[in-house]
């Protein structure tokens, strides 16, 4: 079954040529002032807002992933539209993007389904937190395939066990999707988001629970549990708010991208 695009033309351009311009702009803007870190990583945290707001941050992480040589990814995001107990595993054979189809990794999906008794709740998969990642993956990772997980009400430890299982496969990477605080003033957002950023940077779960307002906090905590268990080293790649794009500091959303080195 094919997973059709549901937020193309709103969260990101629906035409490949426009997407190419976005990615080129993000990379060129970054390279004017920075050097891409010499890090080999197959584990990242990325934001999931409209590309004009958070695409710059996400783009850095995908350039890091591109260097890893990994082709198969476990993509994990929170459900914004549908509330349900547990974790839904996408059973799609392909995911549509403006660049063409992104393959579903059916073998890994079968392993995860059988090991963790996961099934697919299809209405949870028309989800922007994961969909906005599809064009990035298709563009930057030639021959990529994915398993899409969408969670709602579940314990971070349940997600962490799945991450641990995936990372035991040396040819599998993990992408965690989250935005940070929503609709504070710029001043307050910087203060609130610093809690999340510091928690990621120090793999400090206690800190994470001292004020982080990430919509994907379950996925972030799950990854921190796995990172601590596996001895991964975190690197913050970028932090910004929507005010960087709009100059409106009255009500902003925060975004972070990070990677973890083994």
């Amino acid at each position: 079954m094919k997973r059709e695009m549901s937020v193309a033309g709103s969260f990101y351009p629906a035409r490949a040529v426009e997407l190419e311009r976005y990615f080129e702009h993000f990379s060129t803007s970054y390279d004017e002032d920075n050097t891409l870190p010499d890090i080999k990583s197959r584990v990242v945290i990325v934001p999931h807002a409209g590309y004009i707001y958070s695409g710059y941050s996400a783009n850095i992480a995908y350039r890091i992933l591109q260097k890893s040589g990994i082709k198969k990814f476990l993509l994990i995001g929170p459900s914004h539209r549908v509330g349900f107990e547990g974790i839904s595993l996408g059973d799609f054979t392909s995911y549509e993007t403006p660049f063409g189809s992104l393959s579903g990794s059916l073998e890994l999906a079968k392993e995860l389904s059988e090991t963790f008794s996961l099934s697919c709740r299809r209405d949870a998969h028309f989800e922007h937190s994961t969909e906005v990642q599809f064009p990035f993956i298709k563009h930057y990772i030639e021959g990529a395939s994915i398993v899409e997980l969408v969670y709602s009400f579940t314990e971070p430890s349940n997600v962490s066990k799945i991450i641990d299982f995936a990372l035991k496969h040396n040819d599998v990477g993990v992408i965690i999707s989250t935005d940070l605080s929503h609709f504070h003033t710029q001043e307050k957002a910087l203060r609130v988001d610093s809690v999340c950023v510091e928690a990621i940077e120090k793999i400090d779960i206690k800190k994470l629970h001292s004020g982080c307002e990430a919509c994907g906090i379950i996925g972030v905590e799950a990854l921190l549990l796995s990172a601590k268990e596996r001895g991964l080293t975190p690197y913050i790649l970028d932090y910004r708010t929507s005010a960087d794009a709009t100059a409106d500091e009255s009500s902003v959303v925060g975004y972070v991208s990070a990677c973890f080195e083994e």
Side-chain angles (χ1 to χ4, degrees), residues 19-132:
L19 273 174
E20 291 277 6
R21 291 195 195 107
Y22 268 65
F23 294 150
E24 183 179 356
H25 172 69
F26 295 147
S27 295
T28 301
S29 298
Y30 178 85
D31 291 342
E32 284 175 356
D33 302 309
N34 307 274
T35 300
L36 197 67
D38 186 21
I39 299 169
K40 189 173 182 181
S41 172
R42 60 184 174 125
V43 181
V44 298
I45 294 173
V46 289
H48 56 236
Y51 281 16
I52 61 169
Y53 306 111
S54 68
Y56 177 92
S57 296
N59 192 71
I60 304 166
Y62 283 104
R63 291 177 69 188
I64 295 286
L65 276 188
Q66 185 183 42
K67 298 194 299 179
S68 73
I70 299 295
K71 303 290 188 183
K72 194 184 304 180
F73 293 94
L74 178 63
L75 170 58
I76 303 173
S79 175
H80 289 81
R81 297 172 60 254
V82 181
F84 60 96
E85 292 293 332
I87 305 163
S88 178
L89 185 152
D91 63 355
F92 303 95
T93 56
S94 65
Y95 296 79
E96 290 304 293
T97 83
F99 297 122
S101 296
L102 177 64
S103 298
S105 182
L106 301 184
E107 184 179 333
L108 179 59
K110 186 171 184 291
E111 278 189 69
L112 292 172
S113 175
E114 292 175 351
T115 304
F116 297 99
S117 300
L118 299 174
S119 58
C120 181
R121 176 171 174 151
R122 290 237 171 92
D123 61 346
H125 287 267
F126 294 94
E127 170 56 52
H128 73 269
S129 73
T130 48
E131 181 177 333
V132 297

Side-chain angles (χ1 to χ4, degrees), residues 6 8 16 27 31 40 59 68 108 135 137-138 141 143 163 229 233-234 236 243 255 257 262:
S6 61
S27 295
D31 291 342
K40 189 173 182 181
N59 192 71
S68 73
L108 179 59
I137 298 169
K138 179 69 177 177
I141 316 293
I163 294 171
E229 176 70 22
T233 302
I236 301 300
Y255 314 111
S257 61
E262 293 176 277

